Amino acid sequence: MSRIVREFELPTNEKGSVHGQFRNARLTSRGTLLVANMAMGCIHEYTSDGKEVDRWGGLLPWSVQELPKTGNLLVTGRKGKVQEINRQGQVVWELDATDYGVTQPQKTVRLKNGGHIINNWYNEWNKEPMDTANAPVQAIEVDKDGQLVWQLRAWREPDLGPSTTIQLLDEPVNRDRLSFGEFNPQSPKLFVAPNEPIGAGRGIHPGRVAWISCARCGQVGRQVWPLGGRPLERPGEGRPDDS
């Protein structure tokens, strides 16, 4: 039976709603936790007993992750800024995702070749319906020189909906190397089992998971599942939007 073994409170701005406080937290190679605090415009680093060991301000972070080798932080901001900052808070690299039509990036993945994959969230609760003839991108890849490699638009057949997160499936997470203070995969056990579906998707776009293979030749394969449901269609091929 699951039980709470450790908890601590995080600071936040009392103004606004709970919805705008936190979106993302990631473990580091140091066994600490990075938390993107949107409400306060900063990133915190915590030990497993809730002690704040570092803080970086002046940001509007949707998400943050530690980069291997350097230990720098890759920060995806609400205003379209994607930045790499060092532990001293200095910006060592940045990209303006709005230059590529990405207005609401929530997560960025650093590729081994130095490029980046950036997702783009779209507000499905907008009062004005989406212009399907000019629909926003859901994800892009930009190479290390800032050139657009490909972009994804899939709002019909299948409709992938707004992109809230993205993960590379050919770079699996090595859970044996993750820890949070004294919590680790061995003892005490940090990871118990994959999450189970919590029920049917709700809202305009039901929750979905999509497998997308984007090769250099421009071919795309998709396998799409509604949350807690069966596949919507068989894997198929098509061309990503290059416009």
Side-chain angles (χ1 to χ4, degrees):
M1 181 178 180
S2 300
R3 63 187 180 90
I4 297 175
V5 295
R6 183 70 52 80
E7 67 177 357
F8 53 89
E9 293 186 4
L10 302 179
T12 187
N13 191 332
E14 295 181 357
K15 298 179 181 180
S17 68
V18 174
H19 187 73
Q21 293 178 355
F22 306 99
R23 284 292 189 282
N24 182 273
R26 293 289 292 270
L27 293 173
T28 73
S29 61
R30 306 178 179 202
T32 56
L33 183 70
L34 294 172
V35 178
N37 190 329
M38 294 193 303
M40 295 181 63
C42 62
I43 295 167
H44 310 266
E45 183 176 15
Y46 293 102
T47 62
S48 62
D49 57 5
K51 178 182 178 181
E52 184 183 71
V53 294
D54 219 331
R55 180 187 293 200
W56 300 268
L59 304 164
L60 292 172
W62 274 107
S63 63
V64 59
Q65 66 184 89
E66 180 190 51
L67 294 173
K69 297 181 180 180
T70 64
N72 290 347
L73 309 183
L74 187 61
V75 184
T76 305
R78 296 182 65 183
K79 299 298 184 180
K81 287 287 187 181
V82 180
Q83 298 175 309
E84 178 183 347
I85 64 174
N86 60 24
R87 289 272 171 174
Q88 291 71 47
Q90 300 168 322
V91 177
V92 299
W93 172 86
E94 68 178 355
L95 177 145
D96 190 345
T98 62
D99 292 341
Y100 307 88
V102 175
T103 57
Q104 292 283 351
Q106 293 200 359
K107 187 174 181 180
T108 303
V109 177
R110 169 73 57 85
L111 303 175
K112 292 180 180 179
N113 62 12
H116 298 82
I117 293 179
I118 308 169
N119 77 328
N120 187 35
W121 179 75
Y122 171 79
N123 186 355
E124 59 184 327
W125 295 280
N126 281 338
K127 294 181 179 180
E128 296 295 329
M130 180 194 299
D131 178 7
T132 56
N134 190 31
V137 296
Q138 291 146 312
I140 63 171
E141 180 184 344
V142 180
D143 68 18
K144 63 180 180 180
D145 297 318
Q147 298 299 311
L148 182 67
V149 179
W150 56 260
Q151 57 187 0
L152 172 69
R153 280 191 179 95
W155 296 98
R156 292 182 296 180
E157 298 181 2
D159 177 3
L160 300 186
S163 174
T164 55
T165 189
I166 196 164
Q167 179 181 357
L168 298 182
L169 298 183
D170 61 348
E171 296 182 10
V173 175
N174 186 346
R175 295 189 170 189
D176 290 334
R177 299 180 61 182
L178 292 178
S179 65
F180 187 32
E182 68 274 32
F183 300 99
N184 57 71
Q186 284 75 42
S187 178
K189 196 171 184 182
L190 180 61
F191 306 102
V192 289
N195 292 330
E196 295 294 330
I198 58 176
R202 300 180 184 278
I204 299 174
H205 295 284
R208 297 173 182 176
V209 177
W211 166 81
I212 305 170
S213 176
C214 296
R216 296 294 177 182
C217 63
Q219 294 299 308
V220 160
R222 304 187 185 100
Q223 179 70 60
V224 186
W225 295 266
L227 181 63
R230 300 176 60 184
L232 296 178
E233 65 171 29
R234 297 179 181 275
E237 291 189 346
R239 296 192 62 83
D241 189 290
D242 295 321
S243 60

